[in-house]
């Protein structure tokens, strides 16, 4: 078979039905968006020197050079070994294959751990930095680094060397990002208590705080560990909020604000911690952070992503704290701005809608604010062009608004809602279609004069086709609407 014939096979569909192909495409799109979301919250991080971040070092080290370095740093004068360690951690930041070369050299990892536990503080720092970049590699690299060095790294967290503690926190954070097994091992080794101590007492060292928050966030991404850790209490959450406030007020490190948002998001994934979090005023505090970053350009999406997810988690269950927090209108205004911003990625737009749904379902004030910001009109216009999962969120939000104030029904109709509901129903995706039918039924009950508009937009014929839907709920609801409002039997 020629190369061109082989290539042509890549573009042929498998022999499946159109419905199966649509489902396959939807699954592919979902996986791609999921990867992009995870990239924004990437948990493993290589550590560079500031001047290295802008340098292009690709190809600087060959495998032969990596092998020579991995052998030579094990012996020789201390000053020379210090320079070699600096070269090794730069080497490890460039290519995973160079890490493989390092580990393949006899005694390289034990020698590195030996320098970590030496009496020379400069060598200790550089060795810890090497382990940081080693643990940012593949799962195998990270597991090897953890088993060889984690007990020593954790021990140094109680020491007095701020720079060494900083590098140890970063390395341990990378290890904690490697999955449940690594998180459990680190918990058993006693990582959590010294991390909490650093976060509670080391605000005078912002870089150390940032690294400790990074490690703690990755540990708290394990819901079982988070739920069972008693030190995640009111005092701890209040401390995070206080430090975040001071960083924002003084123009401090945006990376620290990001790590606090990541940590709060992971804690909010444990519903058992919600009452503790909400009692500290965290919802209002995070709204303040959202307001400050909504118009920012640097790191805006990176910081807002965990922030939005945390707000959505906390608003999932009705409570007085949230109802009070949304009354000033700032949250809904920010969410409205995010939805209409041109630089917001698709996945974040969907999650903004999810937060909006969670606050409007319980708060009449939030629903009124949506209407004051003319958000209902924008959502109607957005409805026809979005994929099914976003349509689902939009229709849900419109239902919440209509439940709080039926007077907006005529505004929704004037905005072209009937036409766009028809678009949703014609796609025949089960969940969006079922909710669209529910919304249509409510509008017909409130505003019966809308029937001619429905007929002009082929709603009746669409309803008739849905009575043959494979989903019994869609079939039943479409039949009921036709029977009640058009007399079809």
């Amino acid at each position: 078979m020629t190369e061109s014939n082989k290539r042509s096979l890549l573009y042929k569909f498998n022999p499946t039905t159109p419905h199966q192909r649509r489902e396959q495409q939807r699954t592919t799109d979902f996986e791609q968006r999921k990867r992009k979301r995870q990239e924004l919250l990437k948990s493993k991080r290589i550590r560079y020197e500031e001047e290295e971040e802008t340098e292009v070092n690709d190809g600087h080290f060959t495998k032969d050079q990596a092998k020579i370095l991995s052998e030579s740093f094990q012996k020789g004068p201390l000053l020379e070994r210090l320079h070699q360690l600096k070269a090794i951690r730069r080497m490890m930041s460039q290519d995973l294959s160079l890490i493989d070369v390092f580990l393949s050299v006899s005694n390289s990892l034990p020698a590195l751990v030996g320098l970590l536990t030496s009496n020379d503080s400069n060598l200790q720092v550089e060795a810890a930095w090497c382990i940081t970049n080693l643990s940012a590699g593949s799962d195998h690299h990270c597991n090897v680094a953890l088993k060889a060095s984690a007990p020593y790294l954790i021990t140094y967290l109680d020491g007095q060397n701020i720079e060494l503690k900083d590098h140890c926190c970063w390395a341990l954070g990378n290890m904690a990002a490697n999955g449940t097994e690594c998180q459990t091992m680190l918990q058993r080794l006693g990582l959590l208590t010294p991390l909490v101590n650093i976060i509670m007492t080391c605000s005078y060292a912002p870089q150390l705080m940032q690294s400790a928050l990074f490690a703690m966030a990755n540990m708290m991404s394990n819901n079982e560990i988070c739920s069972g850790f008693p030190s995640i209490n009111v005092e701890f959450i209040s401390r995070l909020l206080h430090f975040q406030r001071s960083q924002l007020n003084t123009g401090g490190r945006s990376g620290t604000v990001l790590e606090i948002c990541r940590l709060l998001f992971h804690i909010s994934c444990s519903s058992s911690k919600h009452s503790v979090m909400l009692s500290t005023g965290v919802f209002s505090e995070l709204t303040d952070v959202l307001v400050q970053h909504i118009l920012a350009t640097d790191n805006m999406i990176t910081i807002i992503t965990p922030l939005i997810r945390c707000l959505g988690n906390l608003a999932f269950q009705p409570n007085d704290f949230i109802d009070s927090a949304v009354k000033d209108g700032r949250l809904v205004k920010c969410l409205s701005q995010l939805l209409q911003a041109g630089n917001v990625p698709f996945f974040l737009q969907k999650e903004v809608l999810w937060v909006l749904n969670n606050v409007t379902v319980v708060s009449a004030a939030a629903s009124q604010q949506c209407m004051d910001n003319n958000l209902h009109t924008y959502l109607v216009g957005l409805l026809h062009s979005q994929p099914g999962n976003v349509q689902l969120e939009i229709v849900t939000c419109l239902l919440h608004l209509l439940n709080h104030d039926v007077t907006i029904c005529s505004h929704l109709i004037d905005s072209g809602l009937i036409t766009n509901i028809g678009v949703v129903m014609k796609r025949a995706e089960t969940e969006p279609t079922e909710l669209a039918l529910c919304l249509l039924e409510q509008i017909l009950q409130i505003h019966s004069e809308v029937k001619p508009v429905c007929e002009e937009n082929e709603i009746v014929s669409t309803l008739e086709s849905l009575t043959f839907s494979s989903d019994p709920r869609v079939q039943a609801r479409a039949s009921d609407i036709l029977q009640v409002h058009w007399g079809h039997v």
Side-chain angles (χ1 to χ4, degrees):
M1 184 180 289
T2 65
E3 186 64 31
S4 60
N5 286 338
K6 288 180 182 178
R7 181 182 293 272
S8 69
L9 291 176
L10 298 175
Y11 300 96
K12 291 184 178 179
F13 284 111
N14 290 327
T16 56
T17 66
H19 174 72
Q20 288 173 320
R21 289 200 293 270
R22 284 196 297 270
E23 287 297 320
Q24 185 179 29
Q25 183 62 48
R26 209 162 14 244
T27 301
T28 302
D29 292 344
F30 171 77
E31 291 299 328
Q32 290 174 344
R33 292 193 295 270
K34 183 178 179 180
R35 283 196 295 272
K36 289 179 181 178
R37 287 198 299 272
Q38 295 306 321
E39 187 65 26
L40 276 173
L41 291 177
K42 187 178 179 182
S43 301
K44 283 187 185 179
R45 294 174 190 164
I46 293 170
R47 186 162 193 168
Y48 303 95
E49 285 182 341
E50 291 184 6
E51 62 270 20
E52 287 178 358
E53 293 185 8
T54 56
E55 291 179 2
V56 179
N57 289 317
D58 290 344
H60 184 75
F61 291 97
T62 66
K63 290 186 177 182
D64 288 339
Q65 289 172 324
K67 184 175 181 180
I68 292 169
L69 268 174
S70 304
E71 292 170 345
S72 59
F73 90 97
Q74 300 182 32
K75 52 187 180 297
L78 292 183
L79 183 59
E80 187 176 331
R81 297 172 82 181
L82 182 65
H83 290 305
Q84 290 164 344
L85 284 175
K86 290 180 179 180
I88 287 172
R89 46 101 165 158
R90 287 197 299 271
M91 174 192 78
M92 289 180 171
S93 70
Q94 289 175 33
D95 195 291
L96 295 184
S97 65
L98 299 180
I99 298 180
D100 290 329
V101 172
F102 174 83
L103 293 176
S104 69
V105 172
S106 177
N107 201 48
S108 58
L109 187 55
L112 183 60
V113 175
L115 294 177
L116 174 67
T117 59
S118 69
N119 294 324
D120 187 301
S121 60
N122 292 325
L123 286 174
Q124 286 181 303
V125 167
E126 287 299 331
W129 197 333
C130 289
I131 292 170
T132 296
N133 289 351
L134 171 59
S135 60
S138 67
D139 290 352
H140 169 67
H141 298 154
C142 192
N143 285 328
V144 168
L146 187 152
K147 291 173 183 176
S149 64
Y152 303 109
L153 296 172
I154 293 172
T155 298
Y156 290 135
L157 297 185
D158 290 324
Q160 300 300 314
N161 187 329
I162 298 297
E163 188 177 8
L164 179 58
K165 290 165 70 172
D166 172 28
H167 285 281
C168 291
C169 283
W170 197 319
L172 291 161
N174 281 342
M175 294 173 188
N178 209 46
T180 303
E181 184 179 343
C182 291
Q183 290 163 342
T184 302
M185 289 177 64
L186 291 170
Q187 182 191 27
R188 289 172 181 167
L189 289 170
L191 172 59
L192 293 175
T193 299
L195 284 180
V196 169
N197 291 339
I198 291 172
I199 292 170
M200 297 297 288
T201 61
C202 292
S203 58
Y204 59 86
Q207 178 57 64
L208 172 58
M209 277 287 284
Q210 183 175 333
S211 298
L213 289 164
F214 166 65
M216 180 61 84
N218 288 344
M219 287 296 292
M220 292 300 103
S221 67
N222 185 312
N223 193 50
E224 185 177 344
I225 291 175
C226 180
S227 299
F229 188 48
S231 293
I232 304 299
N233 51 28
V234 170
E235 184 182 6
F236 181 78
I237 301 297
S238 298
R239 176 63 180 159
L240 292 179
L241 297 177
H242 174 76
F243 188 66
Q244 180 174 256
R245 201 179 311 119
S246 68
Q247 291 293 297
L248 291 171
N249 292 340
T250 60
R253 308 172 68 94
S254 62
T256 303
V257 176
L258 168 62
E259 298 305 342
I260 292 173
C261 290
R262 286 184 67 245
L263 176 53
L264 290 172
F265 158 62
H266 287 308
I267 295 173
S268 73
C269 291
S270 175
S271 58
S272 63
K273 301 295 183 184
H274 283 192
S275 59
V276 169
M277 295 182 75
L278 289 167
S279 67
T280 64
V282 67
F283 206 87
S284 294
E285 293 277 357
L286 293 181
T287 301
D288 290 338
V289 180
L290 184 61
V291 169
Q292 292 198 36
H293 284 85
I294 194 72
L295 298 177
T297 54
D298 297 336
N299 281 338
M300 187 269 276
I301 300 300
T302 308
I303 290 177
I304 285 180
T305 298
L307 183 57
I308 287 292
R309 292 177 181 179
C310 184
L311 288 170
N313 285 342
L314 292 173
F316 189 70
Q317 297 292 337
N319 59 78
D320 294 337
F321 294 110
I322 292 171
D323 197 42
S324 175
V326 300
K327 282 184 178 177
D328 61 10
R330 293 180 305 144
L331 177 61
V332 171
K333 184 177 180 180
C334 284
L335 295 176
S336 177
Q337 287 178 299
L338 274 173
L339 281 175
Q340 299 179 59
N343 62 337
V344 175
F346 167 80
F347 75 83
L348 185 56
Q349 192 177 55
K350 178 179 179 294
E351 296 192 31
V352 170
L353 283 166
W354 174 60
V355 177
L356 198 62
N357 284 335
N358 286 349
V359 295
T360 53
V361 72
V362 296
S363 172
S367 296
Q368 183 60 50
Q369 291 158 17
C370 288
M371 290 180 277
D372 292 342
N373 285 281
N374 205 32
L375 191 56
H376 56 292
T377 302
Y378 177 77
L379 291 177
V380 170
L382 196 65
L383 190 58
H384 77 283
S385 61
Q386 298 301 307
N389 53 358
V390 177
Q391 289 178 335
L392 180 66
E393 299 293 344
I394 293 172
V395 174
T396 303
C397 189
L398 293 174
L399 277 167
H400 294 165
L401 299 182
L402 195 60
N403 287 336
H404 284 296
D405 186 357
V406 296
T407 62
I408 71 162
C409 186
S410 57
H411 296 293
L412 294 176
I413 295 168
D414 293 341
S415 300
L417 178 62
I418 301 302
T419 301
N420 291 339
I421 279 182
V423 172
V424 176
M425 293 192 302
K426 284 175 182 177
R427 287 186 179 178
E429 295 183 39
T430 302
E431 290 187 357
T433 299
E434 187 178 5
L435 273 182
L437 289 169
C438 182
L439 180 58
L440 176 64
E441 189 171 23
Q442 286 203 30
I443 289 172
L444 287 165
Q445 290 172 354
I446 297 167
H447 206 300
S448 59
E449 293 84 358
V450 80
K451 286 170 62 177
V453 181
C454 292
E455 292 160 5
E456 289 171 10
N457 286 278
E458 302 179 349
I459 296 297
V460 176
S461 59
T462 304
L463 288 169
E464 289 172 342
S465 67
L466 289 175
T467 60
F468 298 97
S469 169
S470 59
D471 187 277
R473 295 170 301 175
V474 170
Q475 189 181 97
R477 192 174 286 275
S479 299
D480 288 346
I481 293 173
L482 285 170
Q483 182 178 355
V484 170
H485 298 283
W486 278 277
H488 290 204
V489 179

